[in-house]
Amino acid sequence: MKILLVEDEPKVVSFLHKGLTEQTHSVDIATDGLTGLRLALSSTYDLLILDNLLPGLGGLEVCRQVRAQNSSVPILMLTALGETDDKIRGLDAGADDYLVKPFAFQELLARIRALVRRRHDSPASEILLRLADLTLDPSRKLVHRAGQPVQLTAREFALLEYLLRNQGRVVSRVDILEQVWETSFDTGSNVIDVYINFLRKKVDKDFTPKLIHTLVGMGYVMREE
Ligand code: CA
């Protein structure tokens, strides 16, 4: 895989560079936000790893600008303890996942595998998933509502795909964590609620009928009501 690492702490850079190249990944490094953004937009990467606090341009802004170019490259944000608000802002800016420093290298690898697997998972021959006037094309990674294209991040797409495959069925937060985040470890955060809100804004807010429904204490269900 070709990975862009945007990080200004020399220790973290050398630790990640060493670990990732040992895993046979090719790693480009930027130590400030502007250089990171320029590289991210000028080359094709399989993954961006973005530190939050960077000289020049912050990680959130880099993330936002990459997404503004309609890139769906998986983005993993690194945040320091105490920047918890920035996690949510990072997700809002279009990051697919975040990791709090300090973290174990194995944890980083697990997140990377999950992000990339989700992206390449779908068999090419799969047919459209459909509910009312919402369609999702698993192989071409396209979503339309009422004929209009809907731009989703990799994680939002995976969540919507999971909900659509289970349409009419109530899925719990635990189901979603296991199937979409591929972890049964509840970080105690409201990350799923945050993502459901992102999806609602993009898929339901300006349309009728509403398709994503919350069942208090039970989970979520997608159906036409
Ligand atoms: Ca930093």
Side-chain angles (χ1 to χ4, degrees):
M1 273 200 333
K2 197 174 165 200
I3 298 174
L4 174 62
L5 171 64
V6 189
E7 167 66 81
D8 60 321
E9 283 170 63
K11 264 191 196 161
V12 181
V13 170
S14 72
F15 160 72
L16 289 182
H17 181 261
K18 183 166 179 290
L20 290 170
T21 48
E22 275 172 12
Q23 298 286 320
T24 72
H25 298 304
S26 127
V27 184
D28 287 350
I29 293 165
T31 55
D32 68 87
L34 279 174
T35 309
L37 179 64
R38 189 175 50 74
L39 282 173
L41 296 181
S42 66
S43 189
T44 307
Y45 291 98
D46 300 301
L47 174 75
L48 305 189
I49 302 175
L50 279 181
D51 186 32
N52 182 27
L53 288 179
L54 290 164
L57 199 61
L60 290 178
E61 193 49 36
V62 174
C63 186
R64 208 169 279 126
Q65 294 203 27
V66 169
R67 288 291 183 243
Q69 302 299 313
N70 255 338
S71 165
S72 62
V73 60
I75 298 180
L76 176 65
M77 294 279 305
L78 306 179
T79 63
L81 276 175
E83 294 169 14
T84 37
D85 285 353
D86 286 336
K87 282 187 210 167
I88 302 300
R89 272 187 234 123
L91 298 175
D92 215 7
D96 296 293
D97 203 357
Y98 56 81
L99 205 49
V100 177
K101 293 193 224 176
F103 51 82
F105 188 68
Q106 288 307 320
E107 172 68 10
L108 176 80
L109 287 183
R111 301 291 183 96
I112 291 177
R113 276 196 298 271
L115 280 177
V116 173
R117 186 164 50 231
R118 251 193 309 280
R119 198 169 150 83
H120 296 294
D121 236 2
S122 314
S125 59
E126 263 185 308
I127 51 161
L128 283 185
L129 300 173
R130 192 185 293 274
L131 176 61
D133 57 358
L134 173 71
T135 60
L136 180 148
D137 181 335
S139 56
R140 291 164 65 218
K141 303 288 180 212
L142 295 175
V143 174
H144 287 84
R145 179 88 202 247
Q148 301 171 31
V150 180
Q151 302 295 339
L152 299 180
T153 66
R155 182 78 84 179
E156 290 165 354
F157 187 92
L159 176 58
L160 183 63
E161 181 175 352
Y162 177 69
L163 291 172
L164 272 174
R165 286 187 190 283
N166 289 283
Q167 58 184 265
R169 197 184 136 231
V170 179
V171 293
S172 68
R173 285 182 177 74
V174 174
D175 293 332
I176 294 174
L177 267 182
E178 286 179 357
Q179 298 300 318
V180 181
W181 269 259
E182 296 178 28
T183 172
S184 51
F185 175 65
D186 188 345
T187 55
S189 69
N190 57 348
V191 64
I192 291 172
D193 307 78
V194 169
Y195 268 92
I196 291 281
N197 280 332
F198 291 165
L199 274 185
R200 280 209 170 103
K201 268 186 217 157
K202 293 182 176 180
V203 164
D204 258 355
K205 187 171 162 275
D206 301 326
F207 303 94
T208 45
K210 302 303 176 204
L211 302 176
I212 303 172
H213 307 279
T214 304
L215 283 88
V216 176
M218 290 192 281
Y220 303 97
V221 61
M222 276 199 89
R223 64 183 172 221
E224 214 174 326
E225 283 189 346

